[in-house]
């Protein structure tokens, strides 16, 4: 985390981005959310209003940050998720190996899953789709980290044969 922050601050300095105008924490958050949504720096630039100074600087910072990571053979936490997904998608042989290794997949706190995690799980769950998920959309607390409770709410669209069991009684109290 400290290395990520240091690299983002270095990118800010090299791009002459005033930390008061666009704080390094905002840049870090924007980059992380883009990666959570599987949006590359090039795609981010295409989606961004590059006439707007802040948007252009965020786009430039994302590109420079990612280029610097690659040049140094480094990854941040979000890259571990993105690279895993890209590997499984690009290499069906490796994906099949992991699919065979895990006959069943259980995910607790499913309301706090993000897009990149969900896309990876969908790949790993094939062909049997033997998923067991547990979650409560009213308890999602990680939206600020990219969690999307709507993924859980739309789960049966992706897995129409899924059986939902609602636990309406709270036995914890």
């Amino acid at each position: 985390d400290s290395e990520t922050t240091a690299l983002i601050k270095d990118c800010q300095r090299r791009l002459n981005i005033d930390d008061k105008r666009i704080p390094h924490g905002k840049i870090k958050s924007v980059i992380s959310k883009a990666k959570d949504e599987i949006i590359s720096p090039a795609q981010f630039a295409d989606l961004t209003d590059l006439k707007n100074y802040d948007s252009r600087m965020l786009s430039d910072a994302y590109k420079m940050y990612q280029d610097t990571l690659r040049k140094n053979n480094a990854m941040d936490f979000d890259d571990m998720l993105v690279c895993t997904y890209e590997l499984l998608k690009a290499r069906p042989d490796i994906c099949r190996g992991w699919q065979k290794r895990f006959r069943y997949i259980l995910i607790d706190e499913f309301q706090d899953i993000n897009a990149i995690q969900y896309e990876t799980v969908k790949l790993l769950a094939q062909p049997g789709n033997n998923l067991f998920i547990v979650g409560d959309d009213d308890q999602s607390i990680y939206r600020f980290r990219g969690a999307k409770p709507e993924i859980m709410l739309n789960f049966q669209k992706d897995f129409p044969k899924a059986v939902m069991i609602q636990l309406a009684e709270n036995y914890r109290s």
Side-chain angles (χ1 to χ4, degrees):
D1 195 48
S2 62
E3 290 174 2
T4 297
T5 299
L7 179 54
I8 288 172
K9 286 181 176 182
D10 182 58
C11 291
Q12 272 183 300
R13 182 188 53 74
R14 291 189 287 159
L15 291 168
N16 294 316
I17 300 173
D18 182 2
D19 195 63
K20 289 183 178 114
R21 177 153 185 177
I22 308 174
H24 65 273
K26 179 177 181 169
I27 295 171
K28 184 177 178 181
S29 176
V30 165
I31 291 171
S32 181
K33 286 180 181 170
K35 290 181 181 185
D36 286 349
E37 295 293 325
I38 319 168
I39 298 171
S40 69
Q43 292 167 320
F44 187 83
D46 288 344
L47 297 171
T48 305
D49 174 12
L50 297 179
K51 292 177 184 166
N52 175 293
Y53 173 82
D54 288 1
S55 297
R56 189 176 70 250
M57 290 295 102
L58 288 169
S59 179
D60 291 347
Y62 182 14
K63 183 178 182 335
M64 181 180 284
Y65 172 79
Q66 206 59 31
D67 288 346
T68 306
L69 284 175
R70 288 229 161 74
K71 189 174 13 174
N72 290 299
N73 290 320
M75 292 184 173
D76 62 17
F77 179 77
D78 296 308
D79 284 329
M80 289 190 284
L81 298 173
V82 171
C83 290
T84 299
Y85 170 75
E86 288 174 347
L87 174 68
L88 294 174
K89 191 117 172 105
R91 294 283 308 272
D93 57 320
I94 293 174
C95 189
R96 274 191 302 278
W98 286 102
Q99 289 166 339
K100 288 177 184 175
R101 185 167 182 167
F102 300 110
R103 188 169 164 201
Y104 301 100
I105 299 173
L106 177 138
I107 303 171
D108 194 13
E109 304 296 342
F110 193 76
Q111 74 275 2
D112 291 324
I113 199 166
N114 65 30
I116 188 72
Q117 293 167 336
Y118 187 51
E119 292 304 317
T120 302
V121 165
K122 287 194 307 189
L123 286 173
L124 291 171
Q126 294 173 15
N129 294 329
N130 289 328
L131 286 173
F132 183 92
I133 66 165
V134 178
D136 180 348
D137 58 309
D138 288 332
Q139 292 189 17
S140 181
I141 59 171
Y142 291 110
R143 191 175 285 276
F144 70 96
R145 286 191 188 159
K148 295 185 144 203
E150 53 271 18
I151 291 173
M152 186 177 80
L153 298 173
N154 294 319
F155 183 78
Q156 287 191 298
K157 289 179 185 172
D158 290 328
F159 298 94
K161 292 182 180 179
V163 175
M164 184 192 307
I165 300 169
Q166 285 195 331
L167 303 177
E169 215 50 58
N170 179 355
Y171 291 101
R172 288 189 225 165
S173 300

mmCIF file of all heavy atoms in Angstrom, residues 9 12-13 16-27 53-54:
data_model
loop_
_atom_site.group_PDB
_atom_site.id
_atom_site.type_symbol
_atom_site.label_atom_id
_atom_site.label_comp_id
_atom_site.label_asym_id
_atom_site.label_seq_id
_atom_site.Cartn_x
_atom_site.Cartn_y
_atom_site.Cartn_z
ATOM 1 N N LYS A 9 2.192 9.236 -6.048
ATOM 2 C CA LYS A 9 2.739 10.577 -5.779
ATOM 3 C C LYS A 9 3.835 10.923 -6.787
ATOM 4 O O LYS A 9 3.939 12.069 -7.223
ATOM 5 C CB LYS A 9 3.263 10.669 -4.348
ATOM 6 C CG LYS A 9 2.165 10.750 -3.312
ATOM 7 C CD LYS A 9 2.753 10.864 -1.909
ATOM 8 C CE LYS A 9 1.669 11.047 -0.874
ATOM 9 N NZ LYS A 9 2.227 11.212 0.485
ATOM 10 N N GLN A 12 2.129 11.866 -9.951
ATOM 11 C CA GLN A 12 1.602 13.227 -9.786
ATOM 12 C C GLN A 12 2.694 14.262 -10.026
ATOM 13 O O GLN A 12 2.477 15.241 -10.725
ATOM 14 C CB GLN A 12 1.076 13.425 -8.349
ATOM 15 C CG GLN A 12 -0.338 13.048 -8.126
ATOM 16 C CD GLN A 12 -0.733 13.380 -6.690
ATOM 17 O OE1 GLN A 12 -0.152 12.877 -5.743
ATOM 18 N NE2 GLN A 12 -1.733 14.227 -6.570
ATOM 19 N N ARG A 13 3.846 14.015 -9.421
ATOM 20 C CA ARG A 13 4.958 14.957 -9.564
ATOM 21 C C ARG A 13 5.384 15.060 -11.026
ATOM 22 O O ARG A 13 5.530 16.160 -11.552
ATOM 23 C CB ARG A 13 6.135 14.494 -8.688
ATOM 24 C CG ARG A 13 7.342 15.427 -8.705
ATOM 25 C CD ARG A 13 8.559 14.849 -7.982
ATOM 26 N NE ARG A 13 8.954 13.522 -8.438
ATOM 27 C CZ ARG A 13 9.563 13.249 -9.595
ATOM 28 N NH1 ARG A 13 9.834 14.223 -10.440
ATOM 29 N NH2 ARG A 13 9.893 12.009 -9.917
ATOM 30 N N ASN A 16 2.907 16.954 -13.022
ATOM 31 C CA ASN A 16 2.593 18.274 -12.455
ATOM 32 C C ASN A 16 1.140 18.378 -12.003
ATOM 33 O O ASN A 16 0.465 19.369 -12.267
ATOM 34 C CB ASN A 16 2.919 19.397 -13.459
ATOM 35 C CG ASN A 16 4.396 19.489 -13.727
ATOM 36 O OD1 ASN A 16 5.208 19.430 -12.807
ATOM 37 N ND2 ASN A 16 4.754 19.596 -14.999
ATOM 38 N N ILE A 17 0.673 17.355 -11.311
ATOM 39 C CA ILE A 17 -0.685 17.359 -10.765
ATOM 40 C C ILE A 17 -0.597 17.825 -9.319
ATOM 41 O O ILE A 17 0.042 17.178 -8.483
ATOM 42 C CB ILE A 17 -1.334 15.960 -10.825
ATOM 43 C CG1 ILE A 17 -1.415 15.465 -12.273
ATOM 44 C CG2 ILE A 17 -2.715 15.979 -10.178
ATOM 45 C CD1 ILE A 17 -1.879 14.020 -12.408
ATOM 46 N N ASP A 18 -1.238 18.933 -9.029
ATOM 47 C CA ASP A 18 -1.253 19.481 -7.678
ATOM 48 C C ASP A 18 -2.099 18.572 -6.784
ATOM 49 O O ASP A 18 -3.272 18.307 -7.080
ATOM 50 C CB ASP A 18 -1.835 20.896 -7.706
ATOM 51 C CG ASP A 18 -1.839 21.568 -6.348
ATOM 52 O OD1 ASP A 18 -1.351 20.977 -5.358
ATOM 53 O OD2 ASP A 18 -2.340 22.709 -6.283
ATOM 54 N N ASP A 19 -1.513 18.110 -5.680
ATOM 55 C CA ASP A 19 -2.214 17.215 -4.751
ATOM 56 C C ASP A 19 -3.431 17.884 -4.121
ATOM 57 O O ASP A 19 -4.359 17.212 -3.702
ATOM 58 C CB ASP A 19 -1.258 16.717 -3.667
ATOM 59 C CG ASP A 19 -1.828 15.530 -2.906
ATOM 60 O OD1 ASP A 19 -2.042 14.472 -3.530
ATOM 61 O OD2 ASP A 19 -2.085 15.668 -1.689
ATOM 62 N N LYS A 20 -3.432 19.201 -4.091
ATOM 63 C CA LYS A 20 -4.595 19.903 -3.536
ATOM 64 C C LYS A 20 -5.761 19.873 -4.525
ATOM 65 O O LYS A 20 -6.916 19.855 -4.125
ATOM 66 C CB LYS A 20 -4.225 21.343 -3.177
ATOM 67 C CG LYS A 20 -3.321 21.417 -1.974
ATOM 68 C CD LYS A 20 -3.021 22.852 -1.586
ATOM 69 C CE LYS A 20 -2.165 22.869 -0.348
ATOM 70 N NZ LYS A 20 -0.836 23.394 -0.583
ATOM 71 N N ARG A 21 -5.443 19.867 -5.813
ATOM 72 C CA ARG A 21 -6.499 19.847 -6.831
ATOM 73 C C ARG A 21 -7.023 18.421 -7.031
ATOM 74 O O ARG A 21 -8.227 18.189 -7.084
ATOM 75 C CB ARG A 21 -5.988 20.407 -8.145
ATOM 76 C CG ARG A 21 -7.057 20.312 -9.229
ATOM 77 C CD ARG A 21 -6.922 21.328 -10.272
ATOM 78 N NE ARG A 21 -8.051 21.215 -11.188
ATOM 79 C CZ ARG A 21 -8.238 22.000 -12.177
ATOM 80 N NH1 ARG A 21 -7.415 23.004 -12.387
ATOM 81 N NH2 ARG A 21 -9.263 21.834 -12.973
ATOM 82 N N ILE A 22 -6.105 17.481 -7.194
ATOM 83 C CA ILE A 22 -6.479 16.070 -7.331
ATOM 84 C C ILE A 22 -5.614 15.288 -6.342
ATOM 85 O O ILE A 22 -4.474 14.945 -6.646
ATOM 86 C CB ILE A 22 -6.257 15.533 -8.764
ATOM 87 C CG1 ILE A 22 -6.933 16.421 -9.801
ATOM 88 C CG2 ILE A 22 -6.774 14.109 -8.873
ATOM 89 C CD1 ILE A 22 -6.637 16.027 -11.249
ATOM 90 N N PRO A 23 -6.134 15.017 -5.157
ATOM 91 C CA PRO A 23 -5.351 14.315 -4.129
ATOM 92 C C PRO A 23 -4.925 12.922 -4.583
ATOM 93 O O PRO A 23 -5.638 12.256 -5.335
ATOM 94 C CB PRO A 23 -6.309 14.233 -2.942
ATOM 95 C CG PRO A 23 -7.390 15.215 -3.213
ATOM 96 C CD PRO A 23 -7.472 15.371 -4.696
ATOM 97 N N HIS A 24 -3.761 12.491 -4.104
ATOM 98 C CA HIS A 24 -3.252 11.171 -4.486
ATOM 99 C C HIS A 24 -4.228 10.066 -4.104
ATOM 100 O O HIS A 24 -4.337 9.065 -4.809
ATOM 101 C CB HIS A 24 -1.862 10.919 -3.887
ATOM 102 C CG HIS A 24 -1.842 10.856 -2.403
ATOM 103 N ND1 HIS A 24 -1.713 11.986 -1.613
ATOM 104 C CD2 HIS A 24 -1.940 9.807 -1.560
ATOM 105 C CE1 HIS A 24 -1.736 11.622 -0.346
ATOM 106 N NE2 HIS A 24 -1.876 10.314 -0.282
ATOM 107 N N GLY A 25 -4.964 10.260 -3.016
ATOM 108 C CA GLY A 25 -5.961 9.260 -2.609
ATOM 109 C C GLY A 25 -7.070 9.102 -3.641
ATOM 110 O O GLY A 25 -7.564 7.998 -3.875
ATOM 111 N N LYS A 26 -7.453 10.209 -4.267
ATOM 112 C CA LYS A 26 -8.477 10.142 -5.314
ATOM 113 C C LYS A 26 -7.936 9.401 -6.533
ATOM 114 O O LYS A 26 -8.634 8.584 -7.129
ATOM 115 C CB LYS A 26 -8.949 11.531 -5.711
ATOM 116 C CG LYS A 26 -9.994 11.470 -6.821
ATOM 117 C CD LYS A 26 -10.556 12.813 -7.196
ATOM 118 C CE LYS A 26 -11.599 12.592 -8.275
ATOM 119 N NZ LYS A 26 -12.385 13.754 -8.547
ATOM 120 N N ILE A 27 -6.703 9.692 -6.902
ATOM 121 C CA ILE A 27 -6.096 9.015 -8.055
ATOM 122 C C ILE A 27 -6.040 7.516 -7.788
ATOM 123 O O ILE A 27 -6.411 6.700 -8.635
ATOM 124 C CB ILE A 27 -4.694 9.577 -8.356
ATOM 125 C CG1 ILE A 27 -4.797 11.048 -8.783
ATOM 126 C CG2 ILE A 27 -3.987 8.741 -9.420
ATOM 127 C CD1 ILE A 27 -3.457 11.764 -8.885
ATOM 128 N N TYR A 53 -9.788 19.016 -17.503
ATOM 129 C CA TYR A 53 -8.435 18.905 -16.949
ATOM 130 C C TYR A 53 -8.322 17.739 -15.973
ATOM 131 O O TYR A 53 -7.406 16.907 -16.082
ATOM 132 C CB TYR A 53 -8.019 20.208 -16.257
ATOM 133 C CG TYR A 53 -6.700 20.096 -15.536
ATOM 134 C CD1 TYR A 53 -5.494 20.236 -16.231
ATOM 135 C CD2 TYR A 53 -6.642 19.830 -14.171
ATOM 136 C CE1 TYR A 53 -4.274 20.114 -15.587
ATOM 137 C CE2 TYR A 53 -5.423 19.703 -13.515
ATOM 138 C CZ TYR A 53 -4.245 19.843 -14.219
ATOM 139 O OH TYR A 53 -3.045 19.707 -13.580
ATOM 140 N N ASP A 54 -9.234 17.656 -14.992
ATOM 141 C CA ASP A 54 -9.147 16.600 -13.979
ATOM 142 C C ASP A 54 -9.245 15.217 -14.623
ATOM 143 O O ASP A 54 -8.471 14.316 -14.292
ATOM 144 C CB ASP A 54 -10.244 16.767 -12.926
ATOM 145 C CG ASP A 54 -9.988 17.956 -12.001
ATOM 146 O OD1 ASP A 54 -8.973 18.660 -12.184
ATOM 147 O OD2 ASP A 54 -10.814 18.175 -11.098
#
